[in-house]
Amino acid sequence: MAALPQSFPTAKLCRAALPAKGSLLFGNISGFSSKLRPRIRSSRKGWSSSSVRAVLDLEGSGVTLKASKIDACRSDRSKVANLDDIISERGACGVGFIANLQNEASHQIVEDALSALGCMEHRGGCGADNDSGDGSGVMTTIPWDLLNEWATKEGLPSLEKSSTGVGMVFLPKDEIFKDEAKNVITKTLNEEGLEVLGWRPVPINTSVVGYYAKETMPNIQQVMVKVPKEENADDIERELYICRKLVEKASKSEVWQDELYLCSLSNQTIVYKGMLRSEVLGQFYLDLKNDLYKSAFAIYHRRYSTNTSPRWPLAQPMRLLGHNGEINTIQGNLNWMQSRETTLKSLVWRGRENEIRPFGNPKASDSANLDSAAELLLRSGRSPAEALMILVPEAYKNHPTLMIKYPEVVDFYDYYKGQMEAWDGPALLLFSDGKTVGACLDRNGLRPARYWRTIDNVVYVASEVGVLPIDESKVVMKGRLGPGMMITVDLESGQVYENTEVKKIVASSNPYRKWLVENMRTMKPVNFLSTMAMDNETILRHQQAFGYSSEDVQMVIETMAAQGKEPTFCMGDDIPLAVLSQKPHMLYDYFKQRFAQVTNPAIDPLREGLVMSLEVNIGKRGNILEIGPQNADQVILSSPVLNEGELDALMKDHSLNPQVLHTFFEIQKGIPGSLDKAINQLCEAADDAVRNGSQLLILSDRCEELEPTRPAIPILLAVGAVHQHLIQNGLRMSASIVADTAQCFSTHQFACLIGYGASAVCPYLALETCRQWRLSTKTVNLMRNGKMPTVTIEQAQRNFCKAVKSGLLKILSKMGISLLSSYCGAQIFEIYGLGQEIVDLAFCGSVSKIGGLTLDELARESLSFWVKAFSEDTAKRLENFGFIQHRPGGEYHGNNPEMSKLLHKAVRQKNESAYAIYQQHLANRPVNVLRDLLEFKSDRSPIPVGKVESASSIVQRFCTGGMSLGAISRETHEAIAIAMNRISGKSNSGEGGEDPIRWSPLTDVVDGYSPTLPHLKGLQNGDTATSAIKQVASGRFGVTPTFLVNADQLEIKIAQGAKPGEGGQLPGKKVSAYIARLRNSKPGVPLISPPPHHDIYSIEDLAQLIFDLHQVNPKAKVSVKLVAEAGIGTVASGVAKGNADIIQISGHDGGTGASPVSSIKHAGGPWELGLTETHQTLIDNGLRERVILRVDGGFKSGFDVLMAAAMGADEYGFGSVAMIATGCVMARICHTNNCPVGVASQREELRARFPGVPGDLVNYFLYVAEEVRGMLAQLGYEKMDDIIGRTDVLRLRHISLVKTQQLDLSYLLSNVGLAKWSSTQIRSQEVHSNGPVLDDVILSDSEISEAIEHEKDVSKSFKIYNVDRAVCGRIAGVVAKKYGDRGFAGQLNITFTGSAGQSFGCFLTPGMNIRLVGEANDYVGKGMAGGEMVVTPVENIGFCPEDATIVGNTCLYGATGGQIFVRGKAGERFAVRNSLAQAVVEGTGDHCCEYMTGGCVVVLGKVGRNVAAGMTGGLAYILDEDDALIPKVNKEIVKIQRVNAPAGQMQLKSLIESHVEKTGSSKGATILNEWEAYLPLFWQIVPPSEEDTPEACAEAVKVEVGKVTLQSA
């Protein structure tokens, strides 16, 4: 093992093919193949790893720890997609294609593809040896000349192009296995009547392969095959496809099955790929450098696998596609593909469909599965464009262009919507079958894609511009793919088809409109009932029987009925997990929603709802391979929420032949086995109904009379079991499932039912409860007296349904899913507390890491609700279980009034015995969290406490949570910061920015008071109120260059424990003038941060943001905050490869100032599991030493700290408890601004009551540290370092839980070895560097450094390439550190020529005037605070500048000042979250001015859809020459008017004048020359906060002309 190159501390650079400026590549992931790392299953006894200390024994076994006990849901059901396999394969990438329109093959195309790949290096990842890439490859036409040269040498006749297939084959390394595999291939081909002409070993150079990649490198050969029987090219391809499938089948039982892989087997295309860094692909495969290798096109791909040991076969391109992105719905897609297997038939297969199954493989990556689905459609006779339109449809609903100009395209999408659920998620797909080459983008446009065409008829598509040096004068067209768009090149005719042309051709091939009109039926809305169907007593009995509590009725159902939205609440979820609780819970409470983080983005249901839809199709899904009217015979529901009338209408639809199945179980003969038996009978009945032609199964728990011995089966169990049963029996496509149930009222419950297979739900008891509430005398009186807005009984029910629908959109969007039809059956949940028996029965494929209840135990729990409806002593009103609010006798809450009183007493009196009583209170609490089931053990004898590491050293590992100033008061925020700085811990700014007054130490304190911070008491001279950790969240509030350079650490908030997948929210009444000033927003206007997707929507973009932050402040460590969920280890590996310094894992129980109840309760997992998985995966992948692990969520004492340490954490975060220590009394009304002690309120009179002093918190942390010392001494350890990662000091406590004894915590006790460095070494390493960057070259220029030092003027020019990223960021940091955001008086005039990499001009400060001659990629001007930026194309261009895209997506994100002038168009999300910058641009993509809170944007050209969504401040002026703007504006907030106010006209004109002067824009010049004609064509977009400004309001005071100068920074 000594030979392993350990290049950790000094990580070698991966150099790109261009000059090595700024081309450091990060990322270390070891590339063990699946062969080297067997999956380990845990047995009851613990982990058996003797057999698997595989080849690579890196201090501990080289083993992937997979979730305990999920054996792909027993082998007999191995068909179902397993979440566990899926989350271990994630990836993101850089891609592109080059195609010659004359179809002329040349070696130049291959050369160009290889050099473009080299410039994509930063979009990929490298292994721990810094040499094994995650994968790169190219797909081209078959190089016949090269192969014929080989044939001649071998003495073979030359290959017949028309009838020869070429296979690129990865064979096993082992000689014997290799021969066996070749024999299997030859035998299979011969049996098919094909002739193997020969095997050609592919010439390779192994010296360029990394260590880990070499370990798993296959033997690579090409097989030449003659296909005698088939005439046309399509039949030859189909024959080769069948052969490949037969080879895969034939090798299924062999030991080497995982080592045989056919990259391609085709008569048209060939794929060269491997686990290589992109710039060595051409050195490895000698063919690619051979002049005889000619092709008319090339698709190239560079992979960044977030995790896993990347494997050779998973490199891309695949056989048809190159995919940059992530399919979020993959588990559902795989299940549905598998359900289709029995029904897919087509004449082209001549009855051989059986031989080409299966169509999906859960163990392969999402890209590989999408590829195989597309390939199936292609080989069945569809064109590549049609296949992708079916699989990845655009957001065509209400699309202004499509609806009017291309109705046939809408019909096409409508026809297929009911047959194929979309493969949803961010994706740029490149495809080719050898005759057509093309690219398409997902419906959200969440991947960059730029294209250009030259005068010599070559078309280029790439993730970035600048990947190839091109003579700009030859470029005749430049553009970008917008959301859902497609471009194809027909190599045979030389035509290029842009988006709508392609789609129109595809959609016109069949009379889809006619078929839809004749067969598809749309459900008409039916009115709600206007009277109660049951009397009050019956309603109460039903509510009791089905598990409702009074909180559910009053806080959830009644709020939704009254307000039409989900209830908001605050603080975290501090009750026990359902399985640990002593109270009965509904089955839904064992499920937690999964959410997107890092590998894929959450999307925005609030502002980008146009891409989302809740439509569902009910009925049989036909055979998708046969096109015809019969497939359109379905019913469309506008949403999955049905009322009683709509359910009746479905029941009367004869062609659906609906069957009602009742869901009850008999317990007269006793509980054991009763539920199992009932479920089996239910599944049999479902089976019979479908075989007898029913297309709609209604599972119903309605009955005339509740019977004590016939309790209802939990409806989620019934739906899941029937869904799984029908999949197994190949019947799932023939019918839809609808739940008619009493046991469903909250958004999470609807989501669970749909996620496990229901197409729609009729919540009859919830609707009845709405009616009862509306008719109750209390409600009637409140409405009569004006205490509550009046709603009718119909309105109340409509409101409830509206709230459910918007809640569902939010749950879908958290996972980045746009369509309910893709969410249905996708099982986007994980389970905490159900045993394997239940999972196998109804939720197969979902992860349940800790085991739990058996079916009988679940039956008992359901029964405990049911009996309440029949017992005499049950109260006459509903019980309050206390799940949301703490109450005496209710559920136990971790943060309870008694605990806060004891803690206040201890810290205020500085009394150790009082702290001991607090400790005792925690020790005696009921089991609340997983760690309560563990205790410490030691093989050492105790030592004196005096020998243990000091408290002052331990407290340096403590941090406080990211609580924003705004959510909590200034007093609390500053007191916490001062306390943490006193003990050298770290406080966190949260996402609200920070007042610069806090950055310098206090020197004016007298008697504990300081005039600088007059509202605080208990101060000392030398105190600093700065937060060591400054947070960069999705709202970018208060993120300025000066804020960034004054941080010790910068935290990127990807998710927060209380609401992962959603942005923060601050109610309007908490946005005081002070808060608004810090956040650059408007007082009184509520602030909702977008979900984390604008610049962290994939792993390579997160790596880019980390790069940006290291660039602006090279001294600050960058941390990334994640929330625990299954698969987080994979995500964390990607983050570590992305060069983060710290990874923070938050538990689901984190607090919040305001969040929807269902998010607090039902998303995220326990940090114990998340931390264990992260720590162990990082160790496995050789990455643990690169990052500090920090954990938070419900920490209260030294016991929690030591538990987290044993599980691998280096640092510990305290949130809610820190607030309690400073005075919080847990009133749980943070979101109302009425906090009684001023901790979480912005109201002056309440803040005056704030009781805390920094000393209280200091005392608390010292007590915690002393508790840790005492425990360390007891265990016999001297310092924290000795215990971190040592799970062997933990053991299970003997404790009996009320619900089950089947919990399995073996995962938490497992161990894969220790990190190579101690925790102290890891914590004290240098900040990770960006390596050599262009900014350093600029700063080392003496004139520039002179100008910065002495505020002089200087002008300079530099060349720039796409690998130079975040250029100017570091210069801005230097200026901001010295002068602040506004103080620099010099001028740095810097001109760049070339293609700028991502984040060009980020964080610019005043005094920097940057000019770019060329073009730029995404994130131009991100976070700029001042200065000026001009982007203009080079002289002598062959295209029209205003028609060309010159800058990428998400420009000006979070800008707080400055001006930018762009001659050309921008991509999606231009000026998102712009606070003060002014911009002129000549066209934009979708979502322009989204979330803008200030500034001014002028667009002199066309814009995309959804303009000004969420825009609450600032103005926009948009030129509308073809009268198409109005339908594109999101009118929810803004109003749209002509530019009537003189001040507005002057603002517009002067900005255009500046634009023309700086960029030479011809478009701008034309507008100024014909001002009178053009002015009436401009629209002004005005949010409410700007309506009274002189620019927007002609009636406003006529201002003196002199005053309307440009408000320059």
Side-chain angles (χ1 to χ4, degrees), residues 332-390:
N333 295 128
L334 285 171
N335 281 350
W336 290 115
M337 279 310 284
Q338 186 214 312
S339 315
R340 277 189 184 92
E341 287 183 3
T342 48
T343 55
L344 288 183
K345 297 214 170 23
S346 168
L347 295 175
V348 301
W349 295 113
R350 305 173 195 170
R352 301 188 60 180
E353 288 86 355
N354 256 336
E355 300 172 35
I356 56 175
R357 297 190 188 117
F359 303 128
N361 171 12
K363 291 200 165 43
S365 63
D366 54 348
S367 313
N369 279 299
L370 178 60
D371 185 68
S372 69
E375 199 183 13
L376 173 70
L377 289 170
L378 180 74
R379 299 292 168 236
S380 303
R382 305 298 171 87
S383 70
E386 183 175 4
L388 286 168
M389 283 172 68
I390 294 172

Side-chain angles (χ1 to χ4, degrees), residues 1312-1345:
V1312 293
L1314 298 171
K1316 298 185 195 63
W1317 297 354
S1318 74
S1319 172
T1320 300
Q1321 283 175 298
I1322 292 173
R1323 288 180 65 234
S1324 51
Q1325 66 183 311
E1326 287 294 293
V1327 178
H1328 295 342
S1329 141
N1330 279 348
V1333 292
L1334 180 57
D1335 281 30
D1336 292 339
V1337 177
I1338 298 172
L1339 284 167
S1340 62
D1341 182 298
S1342 56
E1343 291 174 60
I1344 290 203
S1345 52

Side-chain angles (χ1 to χ4, degrees), residues 964-973 1066-1067 1069-1072 1074-1075 1153 1219 1224 1229-1250:
S964 74
L965 173 53
I968 59 179
S969 66
R970 193 175 168 181
E971 287 77 359
T972 321
H973 206 270
L1066 190 62
K1069 49 191 169 193
K1070 291 180 92 163
V1071 186
S1072 64
Y1074 176 71
I1075 300 297
M1219 279 172 41
C1224 159
I1229 48 172
C1230 319
H1231 55 294
T1232 63
N1233 203 24
N1234 297 331
C1235 173
V1237 287
V1239 170
S1241 171
Q1242 300 305 325
R1243 284 166 51 187
E1244 296 287 345
E1245 73 280 14
L1246 295 174
R1247 284 169 44 199
R1249 301 182 188 169
F1250 178 67

Side-chain angles (χ1 to χ4, degrees), residues 587 675 679 682 713-722 753 838 841-843 855 858:
L587 181 58
L675 188 53
I679 290 279
L682 180 67
I713 300 171
I715 192 72
L716 178 56
L717 186 70
V719 166
V722 169
L753 289 172
I838 296 180
L841 181 68
F843 313 113
L855 267 175
L858 179 61

Side-chain angles (χ1 to χ4, degrees), residues 874-888:
T874 304
K876 283 289 168 256
R877 61 166 198 257
L878 270 182
E879 193 179 333
N880 179 344
F881 302 136
F883 288 155
I884 303 177
Q885 286 275 27
H886 175 271
R887 57 180 298 280

Side-chain angles (χ1 to χ4, degrees), residues 609-648:
L610 77 160
V611 297
M612 302 189 72
S613 163
L614 291 178
E615 276 196 3
V616 200
N617 286 40
I618 298 273
K620 180 177 182 159
R621 297 210 213 170
N623 169 10
I624 198 163
L625 299 187
E626 286 293 315
I627 310 174
Q630 68 285 355
N631 286 357
D633 185 8
Q634 293 176 329
V635 176
I636 301 181
L637 308 181
S638 62
S639 96
V641 188
L642 299 173
N643 63 27
E644 295 90 344
E646 286 156 354
L647 183 66
D648 282 348

Side-chain angles (χ1 to χ4, degrees), residues 534-603:
M534 311 179 192
D535 57 32
N536 282 338
E537 190 181 328
T538 316
I539 293 178
L540 175 67
R541 284 187 50 189
H542 273 80
Q543 288 171 338
Q544 287 168 331
F546 286 101
Y548 287 45
S549 88
S550 63
E551 278 184 326
D552 296 327
V553 171
Q554 288 160 14
M555 286 187 73
V556 180
I557 300 175
E558 292 178 4
T559 307
M560 288 158 84
Q563 299 170 9
K565 56 175 193 268
E566 252 191 292
T568 302
F569 198 59
C570 65
M571 296 318 292
D573 180 24
D574 55 351
I575 63 171
L577 288 172
V579 70
L580 303 178
S581 166
Q582 301 181 10
K583 304 267 175 206
H585 277 257
M586 291 192 191
L587 181 58
Y588 305 104
D589 293 349
Y590 292 84
F591 291 77
K592 296 273 188 191
Q593 300 156 19
R594 289 180 58 73
F595 48 90
Q597 56 184 358
V598 181
T599 46
N600 53 322
I603 52 181

